[in-house]
Structure formats: structure tokens, C-alpha cells
Amino acid sequence: MQSGGPISSINDFVVRFANVNGSGSASANELFARAVMRMGIPVAPRNIFPSNIQGLPTWYEVRICEAGFLGARGGVDFMVAMNPQTFDKDVASIDPGGYLLYDATKPIPSDRFRKDITVIGVPLTAIANREYSNPRERQLFKNIIYLGALTALLDVEVAEIEKLIGEQYKGKEKLLQPNLHALHLGRDWVLENLPCPLGIHLKRADAVGDKIFIEGNAAAALGAVYGGATVCAWYPITPSSSLADAFTRYCGKLRVDPVTKQTKYAIIQAEDELSSIGMVIGASWNGARAFTATSGPGVSLMQEFLGLAYFAEIPAVLFDVQRAGPSTGMPTRTQQCDLLSCAYASHGDTKHVMLFPENPTEAFEFGALAFDLADRLQTPIFVMLDLEIGMNHHLSAPLKWDDSRAYDRGKVMSAQDLDDAKEFGRYLDVDGDGIPYRTYPGTHPTKGAFFTRGTSRDRYAKYTEEGAPYVDNMQRLLKKFDTAKALVPRPVRDNADKVTKYGVIYYGSTAPAMDEAIHLIEANGTALNRLRVRGFPFHEDVDHFISDHHFVFVVEQNRDAQLKSLIVNECGLDPARLVSILHYDGTPITARYIAQAIDDHLDAQKVTPLRKIVS
């Protein structure tokens, strides 16, 4: 940015659209993001929308960065202000030197603008009213008109948007031509009346490569298909519903016999979340690979059945697409606030395995892996997504699958195994890893397991309330949890170029912003070693990383430092060694926020003894 003047930047800026929910703006805004991507420039769009159907404010932010930093940066360089209700707030959010595009059909008092930004007025409503008589058409095409204006102001290749519109309305000429006409109405007006392009604009690049553009929920659903899932039982809840919808679409293509047309899957919308997890557990007990997709309130309702699956040792997979809580909270805002409720779900002593993907690529990989882990460990597995990953499009590495990969069904005994075995004890720890052998019901006419229970039992599944067998069983479950440490994805460590006594731990959707924040922090002369946690229980690498540093920042998106609490509780560490960086307003954490918070802590550390660090 040029000091004291308009921002000047090519292929590195943030555009935000401020609209009214239900106005039809989403399609136009996504066309903008996709056109930039087709120019070979990496983009990261984020849809910030209300939980009602229409009428409330909505924002669509597009991070454009040829260098590939696609986490939320913080700040806005170019604001497209289409919502009178939020106009003042939207103007205030623009970085100094930034740009404002607004509908200049009606005069706006000059005191509502800022002197340190460039104001661009285009009579969008007047153009739409001149061309169209139908009120709905006026509203819808006004969105395409401002999209056309952006092609001139930001040097978006109009041909790319024309191609996208052609693909969207292929075979629908009655819709295709009016959209193209509206696009050029906006473009032509700007070219005739304003200097173009602006100081921030685009230039074709080759930085996208073979990356794909996909939502995390869709990638996770495809992971479930490739992971062998044939049963999905779910209850609609934002922001997880699109995961079940995507699974339905993929099964319609990949789980239908090409000859007989017989479907090879079962998808059930249950009457509530409790029913859905009950169906998943029942299907899993019978040998199917089954899952549910839910969010925090659903996990709260599933607690009793999760305890049953843990104690009876039945596989289950849960995709938790986290949102802001507690209670109804903010259904369409993102957080990482379900860690503790999932890690220890249900009453009594329970510990559940969790996976933390950072993007759609890992959502696919971990989504498939979860079913192997569930079968191997005979326990529920949580795949911890969130709204930021699940409901936004991301540029991600192509999804890859090894067709020779065999499913890990774990310790399942066949009828022949039962005949050959000296004895079968459903909860015997034969191998010393805490994992017993099981059978699918009906495997053998007289041997193996035919029912299960959630009450205390001995190693042969015989009911007992004696203390010694109960303790023996609970200790074995702990041993199994310890075995899981070597099976969940290992943390990813990146060391700074120079020796440092500071470290940072992060996970999930904080990763893209953290990647950029590191560069901002290093530019200020500070080096940080980094560890991205990818699974719970924690690998011993987490202990080693913390012991290698004087203190370690823990970056997460919740109020109560839930990851830090898990680390302290499970690793037995001194809390003073961990410094929390917390963000929980429902928006994605930004690189600027992380860098500033860490810099502030380091400045305080210069005058504050280590033992007095307050996190």
C-alpha cells in the first residue's frame, strides 16, 4: 500500500460484497471469485450469511493472493456496498487507501464517506430500472450490472465471466442473453465514465496449477464414500446438512449397480439427532460402515448413545461441522468450540478419538480414514470440521485415492476363526493393545457375539457389577485409547530458519491464517517453530514440542482455550508454558489478528517473568 494514498496492488487484495440475504447476489459474487481463479490467480471466498431465509445482511469476501495465502487476512481493500442498512459499518471496515463502490442512483451525504478512501459511484439502480420493468428482474440483474462494473475497475477478464455465465445457463438461451446484456451494461458504463483500471487490479497469472475448487463438506462426503460408508443417518442442522446432501449425490453416482440399477446404500433423515446416532450405531454393530453429520447442538443430544458406543465398543463416525454455541448460538458462524464436548462426550469416564483436517483435501483423507479407525478401534471417531472449512469453497490439492487400498476392518473373526479358536471372549485383550476381537452378529450359529449391552460385564461379556471386572474393563479402554495415539494422523512440525525458544500450536481451519501470520511475525524479526495438531489422542510429538520451548502459543477459535485445556489435561503439562491466542466472534481468525496477538505477548514477555505469564 502506498502511504497516504490509494492502495496499489496487483493480484493481492481483499474484495468484500455487502448485500441483503435473498437478493440473488450470491450467484453474481461467486461468478466474480471463479473468474479470478480462471485467470490463474488463487482465491478464497467466504460467505458470511444470517440464519434466516432473507432480509438480513450478508457478506461475501474474496481473498485474492497470487502468493497463495488464502486464510482470512483481515481488513478490506475494496468494498461493494449494496446494503443501505450496513452502509456505514461497511465504509468503516475499509482499510485506509481502499476503495468503495456504491449505488449512486440517489445522492448520499458526503459526511457518510471517508476522506482516506477512493469513492466510486455507479448508478446501478437507475441502469436496471431503465432496462427492466419487472421488479424481481431489476433486483437480480442489478447484481450482474455491478459485476460488469468490476470487470472494468479491476481488470477482470470479461471473457471468463461470459464463459461462466454460458456454463451456468447452457441450454437456457432465455436466461443466458439477458445476463450477458446486464454484464455489459455495467462494464460499458464504467468504461465510458471512470478511469480504469484502479490501483488494485488483476493480471493473468499461472498460480492455480492443478488445484481444485471444492467445499469441505463435499470433500468429506466423498471421503465417506471412498472410505466404504454405505449408511448415513442424519438430522438437518446448519452447517452440516450439505455434507449429507453431498453424500446422497455421490452415492447416486457411485453406489448404484450399473447393471441392475440397485442402490447399495441407505440414507435416512431421522426424526432427531438422537435417533440418527442410534441408527448409525445399529448399522455399525451389524457390520456396515455408517456415519452421521451434525454440529454442536446435535452432539449434545447424542451424548447417551455415544457413551453406549464407547462402552459397548461399537464403531461409529461423526462429522462435526462446528458452529458458534452454546445453545442455538450463531448457527451460521464458525468456531472450534466442540473439542471438549466431543473428547469426553457422555457421562462417566469416556475419551473419544478426534481428527482435525485443515482443508477439503484433508477432510477427504480423514473422512475416509475415520472408518478404518472406527473399525480398528471399535469406537466412535469424530472428524472435527467447522463452518469455515465445510461451507466455503477452497482451492485445494486434488483428491487422491489408491484403488489398491484395502479397508481395515479391524479384529473381526469369521465363522472359521471361531471354530478354530479355543475360546471367544468379546472383551478379551488377546494382543495387549486394549482392542478385543469381535464378530458380526450371525457369523456363526452358536459362537460369537449375538447382542451387546451398555452395562458392566466381564471379559466374556457376562453381566457383572463387581468392582474388579469393571476396573479391568475401564483400564483396558484406556489402553486402547493409548493405542490410538499411533493410529491418528501425526502432527506436522515446521521449524523456523533460526533457533528460537518460542513455538506455536494450532489446528484445523486456523492453519491458512497461521501460515500467513508466520510471515508477518518473521518480518518483525521473531522466529517461531510450528506444530499443527491433526489428531486426538495427542501423539508424543506434542509433549516433545512443548518441552523444546520456553513457552508455546496455542491458537484456537473458542473462548475457553479448549485445545490448551486438552493438552494440559492429557499431557500433564504446566499451564504457564502455554499462552492462548483466542478468537471467537464467529468470523474466521485472521493472519493479522494472530500476528498482532503474538507480537503483543512477546512484547509483554520482555518485561514479564515467564512464571507470571497469564494465558
Side-chain angles (χ1 to χ4, degrees):
M1 185 178 76
Q2 296 174 345
S3 177
I7 297 172
S8 179
S9 179
I10 298 175
N11 295 352
D12 189 5
F13 50 90
V14 175
V15 178
R16 176 174 283 195
F17 300 83
N19 302 101
V20 177
N21 200 34
S23 64
S25 59
S27 177
N29 298 342
E30 187 174 326
L31 283 171
F32 172 80
R34 289 183 178 274
V36 176
M37 180 184 66
R38 290 197 177 186
M39 290 177 63
I41 307 163
V43 296
R46 290 175 175 83
N47 193 10
I48 306 167
F49 59 100
S51 55
N52 74 334
I53 297 175
Q54 63 181 14
L56 289 182
T58 182
W59 292 269
Y60 187 85
E61 182 175 295
V62 182
R63 175 75 191 278
I64 300 166
C65 183
E66 186 175 349
F69 295 125
L70 296 178
R73 185 200 69 183
V76 177
D77 301 311
F78 192 107
M79 174 65 71
V80 182
M82 295 292 110
N83 188 349
Q85 293 177 319
T86 63
F87 185 84
D88 293 335
K89 177 182 177 181
D90 295 329
V91 171
S93 69
I94 303 171
D95 279 1
Y99 301 82
L100 169 70
L101 173 64
Y102 76 104
D103 185 353
T105 299
K106 294 182 179 180
I108 294 180
S110 59
D111 60 1
R112 296 186 68 186
F113 300 118
R114 287 167 42 193
K115 295 181 179 180
D116 63 343
I117 63 174
T118 298
V119 178
I120 305 161
V122 179
L124 300 167
T125 299
I127 296 172
N129 290 349
R130 184 191 71 208
E131 296 288 327
Y132 310 102
S133 58
N134 182 283
R136 184 58 177 166
E137 283 187 346
R138 287 175 170 176
Q139 175 59 58
L140 294 175
F141 285 122
K142 184 169 73 171
N143 300 322
I144 304 300
I145 292 170
Y146 75 62
L147 180 61
L150 290 178
T151 66
L153 292 168
L154 300 179
D155 241 1
V156 184
E157 293 180 9
V158 69
E160 292 295 352
I161 295 185
E162 289 173 340
K163 290 177 185 176
L164 286 164
I165 292 175
E167 293 169 8
Q168 183 173 339
Y169 296 111
K170 185 177 181 180
K172 302 177 181 178
E173 290 296 320
K174 289 184 178 180
L175 295 174
L176 173 60
Q177 291 305 320
N179 276 275
L180 293 176
H181 177 64
L183 180 73
H184 282 276
L185 286 174
R187 178 177 174 81
D188 293 345
W189 191 96
V190 169
L191 289 174
E192 292 171 6
N193 293 277
L194 298 173
C196 300
L198 300 176
I200 56 173
H201 58 273
L202 304 170
K203 183 178 180 181
R204 179 168 284 275
D206 187 20
V208 173
D210 64 350
K211 289 185 174 64
I212 62 173
F213 203 47
I214 188 171
E215 291 181 337
N217 280 351
L222 195 57
V225 173
Y226 274 78
T230 56
V231 176
C232 170
W234 65 294
Y235 183 79
I237 181 171
T238 302
S240 71
S241 296
S242 62
L243 198 160
D245 290 339
F247 183 75
T248 303
R249 292 196 306 272
Y250 292 135
C251 282
K253 295 178 180 179
L254 302 172
R255 286 265 189 272
V256 178
D257 188 286
V259 177
T260 66
K261 306 302 180 183
Q262 181 180 2
T263 58
K264 299 180 179 180
Y265 60 91
I267 300 172
I268 305 167
Q269 182 176 319
E271 62 266 33
D272 53 32
E273 286 88 353
L274 187 61
S275 297
S276 67
I277 190 62
M279 294 175 186
V280 168
I281 293 169
S284 297
W285 179 69
N286 275 283
R289 287 194 156 183
F291 74 94
T292 191
T294 190
S295 192
V299 174
S300 296
L301 291 168
M302 295 176 183
Q303 297 281 308
E304 184 175 358
F305 265 141
L306 288 169
L308 170 65
Y310 173 80
F311 198 59
E313 299 180 69
I314 302 171
V317 172
L318 298 92
F319 291 94
D320 179 12
V321 190
Q322 299 167 88
R323 70 190 210 188
S327 186
T328 304
M330 295 191 290
T332 58
R333 297 293 186 263
T334 194
Q335 273 190 14
Q336 297 172 312
C337 57
D338 295 349
L339 268 68
L340 291 177
S341 63
C342 291
Y344 305 124
S346 191
H347 59 277
D349 294 321
T350 54
K351 288 187 179 183
H352 298 294
V353 175
M354 298 186 293
L355 308 179
F356 306 127
E358 68 164 342
N359 55 28
T361 302
E362 285 194 343
F364 170 77
E365 294 170 355
F366 292 4
L369 173 65
F371 293 93
D372 278 353
L373 292 177
D375 275 348
R376 166 58 58 184
L377 295 165
Q378 300 173 33
T379 198
I381 306 293
F382 287 89
V383 183
M384 305 299 289
L385 300 164
D386 56 35
L387 186 147
E388 164 69 2
I389 297 175
M391 292 194 69
N392 289 317
H393 281 87
H394 302 260
L395 271 181
S396 299
L399 309 182
K400 297 180 180 179
W401 184 259
D402 182 357
D403 287 330
S404 65
R405 173 174 166 180
Y407 295 143
D408 183 353
R409 299 310 300 255
K411 299 181 179 182
V412 180
M413 299 182 71
S414 65
Q416 187 63 51
D417 292 333
L418 290 169
D419 281 334
D420 293 343
K422 294 181 179 178
E423 61 179 353
F424 171 76
R426 173 64 183 94
Y427 299 109
L428 281 173
D429 184 8
V430 177
D431 302 317
D433 57 5
I435 305 172
Y437 284 81
R438 64 179 176 132
T439 62
Y440 301 136
T443 296
H444 192 285
T446 60
K447 300 178 180 178
F450 287 81
F451 69 95
T452 192
R453 67 169 91 233
T455 50
S456 181
R457 69 278 164 154
D458 64 15
R459 296 183 179 188
Y460 296 89
K462 181 180 179 181
Y463 172 73
T464 178
E465 294 184 12
E466 293 183 7
Y470 173 80
V471 171
D472 175 70
N473 186 64
M474 295 298 286
Q475 288 298 316
R476 182 183 55 76
L477 289 171
L478 268 185
K479 186 186 296 182
K480 180 168 71 170
F481 192 71
D482 192 60
T483 296
K485 291 180 180 180
L487 300 178
V488 301
R490 189 169 180 169
V492 176
R493 177 169 179 163
D494 291 302
N495 288 333
D497 292 335
K498 58 182 180 181
V499 177
T500 177
K501 59 184 178 181
Y502 308 126
V504 59
I505 291 176
Y506 58 103
Y507 66 106
S509 64
T510 61
M514 189 72 239
D515 291 342
E516 183 176 8
I518 287 297
H519 287 262
L520 299 176
I521 294 165
E522 289 178 344
N524 289 335
T526 300
L528 279 178
N529 294 329
R530 305 173 299 281
L531 188 77
R532 179 166 67 88
V533 176
R534 301 197 296 166
F536 176 79
F538 300 123
H539 191 275
E540 61 183 11
D541 287 356
V542 175
D543 297 271
H544 296 160
F545 183 81
I546 295 172
S547 65
D548 287 345
H549 301 88
H550 286 195
F551 65 86
V552 173
F553 297 101
V554 183
V555 180
E556 50 186 317
Q557 298 180 80
N558 57 70
R559 184 195 69 179
D560 293 340
Q562 295 188 26
L563 179 64
K564 175 187 171 182
S565 297
L566 275 178
I567 293 172
V568 169
N569 190 50
E570 296 296 325
C571 301
L573 298 171
D574 181 355
R577 296 180 64 86
L578 303 177
V579 180
S580 288
I581 303 296
L582 304 174
H583 181 273
Y584 50 91
D585 68 358
T587 62
I589 196 168
T590 68
R592 291 179 179 178
Y593 180 90
I594 296 171
Q596 186 62 56
I598 288 178
D599 283 341
D600 288 346
H601 275 289
L602 291 175
D603 288 343
Q605 176 62 20
K606 294 175 183 178
V607 295
T608 306
L610 175 63
R611 295 300 302 166
K612 293 185 179 180
I613 289 178
V614 177
S615 56

